[in-house]
């Protein structure tokens, strides 16, 4: 059984948060993307390449909805939470022929338990500079969980080796609206 499922993000809000309300106008969910950075490393402490990610942060907790709704484009934020998953129907429309395709999928997001604005109204350039300075703490994930499937190794068109695998992460806490879900299955 997993003992850890912790995510710490130190990043910049590049798109204003989205708040979803019910038919009475009451906020029921808030989400945002947080630009974070990580380095691809060889041996030692040198960062060879910088990569940007935009994990989705999503909550249905009223106090956290208010906190996320207050985020503004350019804010540098710190978020602590856990990895959670939801079964979703992924829909795509092919660009050239307009054909629509649906398939069942898995949405992986971060459910925050703490969120705070550290700096406000930064330009994209200043935000990237701060992210580079804080690269070591920008995108930290600690997960201990059993594998669901054997890892699959493949090579990209540029010859880089990539491995994918699925984990079964037991939740240490329950999200009120998802009382039946006790394990998450991110890839």
């Amino acid at each position: 059984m997993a003992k850890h499922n912790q995510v710490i993000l130190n990043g910049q809000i590049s798109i204003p948060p989205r708040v979803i309300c019910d038919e009475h106008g009451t906020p029921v969910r808030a989400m945002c993307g947080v630009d974070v950075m990580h380095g691809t490393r060889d041996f030692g402490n040198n960062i060879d390449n910088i990569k940007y990610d935009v994990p989705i942060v999503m909550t249905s907790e009223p106090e956290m909805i208010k906190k996320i709704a207050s985020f503004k484009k350019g804010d540098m934020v710190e978020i602590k939470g856990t990895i959670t998953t939801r079964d979703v129907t992924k829909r795509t429309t092919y660009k050239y022929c307009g054909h629509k395709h649906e398939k069942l999928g898995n949405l992986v997001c971060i459910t925050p338990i703490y969120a705070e604005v550290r700096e406000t109204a930064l330009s994209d350039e200043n935000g990237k500079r701060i992210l580079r300075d804080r690269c070591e703490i920008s995108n930290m994930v600690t997960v201990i969980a059993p594998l669901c499937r054997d890892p699959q190794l493949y090579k990209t068109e540029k010859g880089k080796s990539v491995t994918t695998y699925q984990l079964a992460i037991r939740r240490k806490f329950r999200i009120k609206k998802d009382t039946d879900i006790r394990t998450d299955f991110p890839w």
Side-chain angles (χ1 to χ4, degrees):
M1 178 178 355
K3 301 232 186 261
H4 296 289
N5 177 1
Q6 176 175 290
V7 178
I8 298 174
L9 304 175
N10 192 316
Q12 186 177 30
I13 302 296
S14 59
I15 299 171
R18 182 174 168 207
V19 177
I20 298 166
C21 297
D22 64 13
E23 62 275 358
H24 307 292
T26 304
V28 293
R29 183 177 298 137
M31 63 184 77
C32 66
V34 180
D35 289 3
V36 296
M37 181 183 282
H38 69 272
T40 304
R41 298 180 171 273
D42 273 332
F43 295 103
N45 290 326
N46 297 325
I47 296 174
D48 295 332
N49 297 311
I50 296 294
K51 303 286 185 194
Y52 293 94
D53 292 315
V54 185
I56 297 168
V57 176
M58 186 166 30
T59 186
S60 57
E61 294 298 318
E63 290 304 311
M64 198 56 67
I65 289 173
K66 289 179 194 172
K67 182 73 79 166
I68 288 177
S70 73
F71 292 170
K72 306 273 187 284
K73 180 177 173 22
D75 286 352
M76 190 64 63
V77 298
E78 182 178 331
I79 295 173
K80 181 178 179 181
T82 62
I83 294 173
T84 54
T85 58
R86 293 179 183 271
D87 293 332
V88 295
T89 301
K90 295 185 176 186
R91 294 175 178 91
T92 56
T93 302
Y94 294 100
K95 182 178 176 180
Y96 298 105
C97 67
H99 177 74
K100 295 182 181 194
H101 179 72
E102 290 185 359
K103 75 175 195 174
L104 292 178
N106 194 313
L107 171 69
V108 178
C109 62
I110 309 305
T111 300
I113 57 174
Y114 170 85
E116 203 61 49
V117 174
R118 294 295 178 209
E119 287 101 0
T120 59
L122 297 172
S123 67
D124 287 344
E125 184 179 310
N126 283 340
K128 300 276 190 264
R129 180 186 51 74
I130 289 172
L131 278 178
R132 187 168 181 80
D133 291 345
R134 297 178 185 169
C135 183
E136 294 300 328
I137 63 166
S138 180
N139 185 9
M140 297 173 53
V141 178
T142 302
V143 176
I144 299 174
L147 288 173
C148 294
R149 306 162 196 248
D150 291 334
Q152 297 176 1
L153 175 67
Y154 63 92
K155 293 215 182 250
T156 65
E157 290 177 7
K158 295 183 179 180
K160 186 171 185 167
S161 295
V162 177
T163 302
T164 61
Y165 49 90
Q166 189 176 31
L167 299 174
I169 303 173
R170 294 284 312 246
R171 283 195 189 166
K172 290 174 85 171
F173 74 98
R174 301 277 182 334
I175 299 170
K176 287 180 185 176
K177 297 192 189 284
D178 296 336
T179 55
D180 294 340
I181 300 173
R182 298 167 195 239
T183 305
D184 293 292
F185 300 96
W187 281 90

